[in-house]
Amino acid sequence: MLECGPAPAPQDLCSHQESLSMVAAPSDGFHGSQWRSTCLLPTEEQKRDVGHPGRATLDESLGDRSPWEEELLGQIRAMSDSQRSRVLEAIQHRIEEHTQVITIPGGSSGLGLQLPRAGHWGPSTVFCLQLLWKEVADPGIRELLAPLNLEPQQPVEKAFLFLVYGLILRECASSDLVRRHLMRLLELSHQTAGQREGMAVASGIASSSHLQEVWATLEHLGRTRVLRTACTSPDYQEPYADVHWRWVSSTSLLCYGHMALHAGEHILPWVDNVISRMVYYFSCSCYDNILETSFLSAAVMLVKALKQEHSTRRYRFTQIPELIQCLLAILQKEPNFLATLFRQKIILVIMELSKLRPSLKPVVKSRILQTCLQSLYMLPPMEMLKSCLPPLDLAPDVMVLYQKSMQALDLLLQTFISENKSMDEMCFLLQHTEPWLKSDKSHECKRVVQTIFLLLKYVVDYVKLTDEATPSMLGHQIGLLMLLWRDRDPVTQSHSRQCIYLLLQLLIQQKGSMGQFMHLNKMKNFEAKALRRSEMKFYNLVKNQSIKVEQVAEILQGLFQELPSIVFKNILQTMMKAVTMLGTQHTQETVEVMLSLCHPSERQVLPLWKALASNNQLARKVLMLLYMKLKLRPPKELVRLSQQAELISLLALGTIYELLYTREYKATVRWAFAGILVGLLTQLHYLFELDVVEGISDYQEDSLEVKPLSPCRTCLEALKGLFWTTNYWEVFAYLQLLRGWELFEHLETYTEGVTLLARAMAHYDCEVKAVLGQAVISLKSSEERDNIVAILVITEFLNSQELTQYMSRRAMDNFLSLGLSSPNQLVRAMSLKGLTSILMDPKKVVLLRNQLAGLLDSFMGPEPQDLMGLMEILGDILHSLGTQGIGATSIRMAQHLLSLFEDEQAPVRGGAISLFGDVVHSGGKKYRPALKRQAFQALVPLLFHLVDSCPAVVMKTKLTFLRCAILLKWEFRKELFGKLAWGHGLGAENDIFIYMVESNFGSYHQFLMQALIYLGSPHKNLKRMAMKFIGGILQDYFTDLCFSLKRGDLKIFKKYLEVLKKDSDSVSRRFYQNFLEDITELSKFVRQ
């Protein structure tokens, strides 16, 4: 229902930092299901760093260091070589002891080591330096490190050890010491991804000062280890006896990548040697996922390093074709489905390499084109891409992967033509598409034609070819493209036509183009003349401004027929300007003709509607006319079944629905909000009268199938879209989370839906004044359906805080009295209800409050009777009091309702949670701070009840949780709603956890203490939710807890934790085992 914009096109390799692996590897133990949070809004630089293969961010920012970092480097530089040697030995020992593998999702990809960025080292990283204190016994070194205030009992992050190791090696003056300790580091196990990446990071940092020493060490490693573990033949399948060295070649590849990143201006003298080693180790090693990922990672780092060196363009490389051949080998081995971004990454690396000198030979470029086209075009059709995936723990978004991979191919072709701006190069590229143009598979033809179209569009718009072309050079391609004009796929048809027009335009841009046109076929001349005639017709229209009314239909119908074949921007712009002028002169006739051109759902006429929005006043007139057309509703007895689809009101409805999501009409829709809303509500009632209800209830929001909506569904989706596109998302969310939109799917519940919608609008003050004015007009209408909608809206608006500012009591009394004489029973009843409301009879406030006090005594008693009935009555009183509120009583009610969240009966839990949401909004401004505190106290219980065993409780919890977030003014309220409404699984749980915790900075310890109670919950869902929550808090906010928890809190924590030790549930016992050490560590830092 809600439209999403297309993914932005990639610009270059460094603008694409997605992880190469989109599939998360499960972790061992309970930690696999914990929530994680780092920050809600990472900086742009941090976003670019995420998942980038081989991105070395540790040492790139050391030029802009914090005082703490400067002090660390100062201490390292103050050491003697012997002291540094002992520290390095201590780190080696600590790494060997360390059993935790620190990787991001991606398992053994070799890309996942997370290291702290320079400039972003926090307190937890400071604790890591305790290894320099704990492992080194030398008093002199302890004295040097004393200013850092290190303590010997802090936890160690393994990744940080490699960083410190590299920094110390970099600062060493002794070449022998560097070689010796680097070799010892490389002799550690190469089994895990974190270990391999850590070794490479340390080597890269060290190489920035000791490039020759690091190179010599890697050469020694290659001779003694890499070649020994290399497979002797492709069929070699004997398992390795020593997994310690199994992936040493992958480590070497990563080391060369990091060396390139840290080489700086020295990269060029060494680059061919680096590439030759990468190619050799890749070629002679046993091929697996780890090897290919490490090689690609190293290649990305190499390309990044070359892009940063300005003299690269003047350097003549010798190993680029061999490097590209290895990348193509990886691409060829990719499976025939999309689960990762490997294809995109490989193509983007090749694209950057193709810019280097000397230029690639045609045979190399031909191999690149053949491999890349085959890898992408032979993928299954779009509708089958997802179903072709193997079973995965976390299914990737195959549509995004496909789009990014195809965008990379487009960039590669654009780079080829930009590097050689000749018609020969264009023909060379097009020749490689010929086999695919001849394919008998529709999806392959569709892909290649789109590729050709985007390439030609790029060349026409941005490239000036240096030599002239003759028709014979392109004749074969034009012929193949012409054959696709009758393809059964309309997209292929359209793109093939546009390709030929672009080829013609390319020829026009060349010298002597008129002579060349004589050699083209008759079809081309016919199409070109048609375009020229259309352009001249509209050009005269713009000039003369004297079109008669009877000409409007002829002009617009002719333009509509030509519209699909227009690819020239200037022609299209001229025509759209003409449509704007035509609409300005004859607005009503233009709107009527455009409604008749095609069904709005086909969207072919949408460019014409956009043209009418270029003028603000004209756009308003258009919406007003559509609103008037919407009201043309003939009675059911006058409408034949065959005529229903042709009703002008249905065409207006479909057009309004499309314009809601059209950017050009955004401001105008906001201006006409009230009229559109009332019009849609009455239109839906009219469709129920016509009994046009087919397809309204079987609509699926998450379905990828594109098919026209039924009239009723179109009306309902337009109603929903009106609130979403105008950013009144709180009203949309209120109904979505209560499943209130479903009430509009049946005539029997239609009035409940309108009432609930009006209540939400009054609560969030959504266009109350404007909608009230429209409702008053509808109340005077002779149509019964208008009266029903109007009275339902007005009676609910009587509870609005601002209503008396818009209309006096006397005026409201007159309008409500008007409804008493209506022939419709519902209108009479609702009018009477409105006349007896608090707003119209303020004396009732005292009576209702007295009644509320008596009910509260029963409600809060030790053994209340009929809790559900009491809560329902209390809710009705709250709603009746409206803006008057209940004052201090609201705090007592909120406190008591909190205790009912854990009631054994699901209806009681749900009723209490729902009523709590009303109560925290009923105290008025005076008591709002106190009610905010109550809302804060409810956050943890509400979060846990999102997994309540009763679906009805979950639904009510979602709304109350969101209402608390709105009351507390969280920053990410709209995003939270999205996760509550449509999120599923651990990912959604993790996001909600982040929104909650990060929106309440400094409250981590309070959340933790609240969550402990649920470790003893008899409900398994709540208990496990509490474990996830506590695990996430401990993992992500350990440092903050050190400063905020007290000894007494830890005693309570241990008490609850000890109960899990002998729990019958294995998950509970595992949770105890995993976090007992964390609690012990925590106890060392908390204050008294």
Side-chain angles (χ1 to χ4, degrees), residues 396-420:
D397 189 338
V398 292
M399 300 302 294
V400 173
L401 296 180
Y402 175 80
Q403 290 173 0
K404 290 184 178 294
S405 300
M406 293 301 295
Q407 288 167 359
L409 176 62
D410 295 333
L411 283 174
L412 176 66
L413 297 177
Q414 292 171 15
T415 299
F416 280 173
I417 195 66
S418 298
E419 293 296 314
N420 183 10

Side-chain angles (χ1 to χ4, degrees), residues 414-433:
Q414 292 171 15
T415 299
F416 280 173
I417 195 66
S418 298
E419 293 296 314
N420 183 10
K421 300 176 182 178
S422 68
M423 186 58 76
D424 286 338
E425 182 71 5
M426 173 60 71
C427 293
F428 176 81
L429 298 179
L430 293 179
Q431 285 170 3
H432 284 82
T433 65

